[in-house]
Amino acid sequence: MKTIILAAFAALTTTNIQAESLLTDTLTSAPAEETFDAENGVVTIGSDRMFQIESKDHRFSFKPYLMLQTTANFNYYDDEGLDKAYNQDNVANSGFSFPYAVLGFTGKAFNNITYNLSINAAASGAAILQQAWFDIYISKGLAVKAGKFKTPFTSAYLTTLGETLFPMLPVSLTSSVILPYSLNAANPKIGTGFDLGVMLHGKICPVIGYEFGIFNGNGSGSNQATKTFSDDWHIPSLLYAGRLSWTPYGNMPRTQGNSKMLNEHKLEVALSGSINVEAENESTNDTRVGLEVSYLSGRWFIGGEFYWMNVGFTKRQKINESYNYIGGYAQAGYFVGKQWQLAARYDLFNRNGTGSDGILNSPAVGCNYFIKNTGLKLSAMYQFVGRTGHKTQLDRDNDDLGIAKHSAIVMMQYTF
């Protein structure tokens, strides 16, 4: 009996030693050269991190990540649209906020499948599930991605959330357009963001990449299948989107500022487009086209985008007119030191449509400070929204309704 107990103890001890050895090998198997993974869309993960698990044969990996953002906000609005009889104040939507509390993990399985899941605890409803997808590598030039992820349109949204130049995206992407008719849903925006769908992507050749996908077209606010068939076009009423990119110096990192990536030399030029069939509760068909340029060289990041959107009403609305909107921005960031980055942006938006005079112009300045070896980033920005070229004072007053004339944000971010 004693012999059996001793044999069992020896076997258990050997198993524990082998398990500890395997775990040690797994946790310390990071490659010798620093590599970066930004496929999760939230934060760039470097190979120098202490906690990321990978098998010895590199076929399986598991990388948890975290992003927390807290901001102090100040927004000052014009008198237009305010009713002083109800004591409405020019200062609104100000104070402290917590836009992102993202917890997720990403990794690889069987050497040809990558996956990602992230929860934003600061969101509500369906948007709590920020993204969830798996990507199947089929061949050198073809992969299939399915789930909830970023639609292939505009580098402003495709940039990892924690590494944008500014805490606030351009007004021309995030503000709804103005239509002379009221819809039974919110007016569309040019930006599309996260959505549910499936996408084919890969490389046509070493310098040209492609992304073509079909999505619900509802954005991140719904995780359900709610779409119908188009009465006008006789196709499913979904969002059809595509993007072609040219990267002559290799893949463009999805960052506009990372203190660990100051020796890169990358260029990306991309053309993207989409059509959202029977969007806005089946009342409009929205077509978007975008052209973007991103350049990362040493301490410099320079980028710009131009986009156009056409909003045409469905036949059941009995409105023959269609409306065109254009917008774009140029921005630049420069690391004056290894931790300090200065940034500037100029944004233009024809919110009333090309058929009306007037445009919004929004200059912004900011700075980012990366606290070394901590994962902390401190950001600050100021943005002014101006109006120019409007034919009447009413057009001028209506153009910036719902948009703050002066905005200031201070943001503290922690990423792991």
Side-chain angles (χ1 to χ4, degrees), residues 46-229:
S47 59
D48 62 342
R49 290 198 343 165
M50 293 299 294
F51 189 75
Q52 47 190 5
I53 302 173
E54 189 173 52
S55 63
K56 280 186 174 182
D57 59 6
H58 305 297
R59 297 181 67 218
F60 298 87
S61 66
F62 178 84
K63 304 173 185 179
Y65 60 88
L66 173 76
M67 185 183 76
L68 303 175
Q69 284 185 355
T70 182
T71 63
N73 307 270
F74 174 81
N75 290 292
Y76 180 90
Y77 295 82
D78 275 340
D79 289 337
E80 295 88 14
L82 300 181
D83 192 338
K84 297 300 183 180
Y86 290 92
N87 198 31
Q88 292 181 336
D89 201 341
N90 294 89
V91 177
N93 300 321
S94 300
F96 296 97
S97 68
F98 213 116
Y100 289 105
V102 176
L103 178 63
F105 57 84
T106 187
K108 179 172 61 175
F110 303 106
N111 211 38
N112 68 333
I113 299 174
T114 56
Y115 60 88
N116 182 58
L117 170 68
S118 65
I119 303 297
N120 183 13
S124 60
I128 292 176
L129 179 63
Q130 186 197 50
Q131 54 181 323
W133 52 260
F134 57 90
D135 200 359
I136 306 171
Y137 176 86
I138 297 175
S139 66
K140 188 175 181 179
L142 176 63
V144 180
K145 191 173 188 179
K148 188 177 187 179
F149 52 94
K150 295 179 179 180
T151 52
F153 184 71
T154 76
S155 63
Y157 278 103
L158 294 175
T159 300
T160 57
L161 295 176
E163 296 179 14
T164 57
L165 275 180
F166 295 91
M168 186 165 58
L169 290 172
V171 170
S172 55
L173 280 175
T174 58
S175 297
S176 59
V177 299
I178 295 176
L179 284 166
Y181 301 96
S182 61
L183 300 179
N184 52 0
N187 287 358
K189 303 174 183 178
I190 292 181
T192 50
F194 290 95
D195 211 333
L196 288 166
V198 60
M199 181 175 74
L200 303 179
H201 66 103
K203 289 277 191 179
I204 299 174
C205 65
V207 297
I208 298 180
Y210 70 90
E211 300 164 276
F212 295 104
I214 305 175
F215 304 86
N216 276 347
N218 293 328
S220 62
S222 173
N223 294 329
Q224 305 297 321
T226 60
K227 304 311 288 281
T228 64
F229 218 72

Side-chain angles (χ1 to χ4, degrees), residues 287-361:
T287 303
R288 299 171 174 86
V289 175
L291 175 65
E292 59 188 81
V293 179
S294 300
Y295 179 64
L296 183 65
S297 181
R299 296 170 181 251
W300 280 99
F301 172 82
I302 300 173
E305 298 191 67
F306 173 82
Y307 21 80
W308 162 83
M309 180 172 72
N310 172 269
V311 178
F313 289 89
T314 57
K315 290 180 181 179
R316 74 180 67 183
Q317 300 298 317
K318 299 181 180 179
I319 299 173
N320 294 324
E321 297 93 341
S322 65
Y323 297 87
N324 296 288
Y325 303 88
I326 58 174
Y329 69 90
Q331 62 182 6
Y334 179 72
F335 278 88
V336 295
K338 288 186 176 181
Q339 273 70 55
W340 280 101
Q341 182 188 37
L342 301 181
R345 180 175 73 202
Y346 195 76
D347 181 25
L348 295 172
F349 187 23
N350 185 251
R351 194 185 184 202
N352 279 314
T354 55
S356 301
D357 294 330
I359 197 166
L360 295 179
N361 57 94

Side-chain angles (χ1 to χ4, degrees), residues 3-20:
T3 303
I4 295 174
I5 293 174
L6 289 174
F9 178 75
L12 181 60
T13 304
T14 302
T15 302
N16 287 338
I17 291 173
Q18 290 175 344
E20 290 177 6

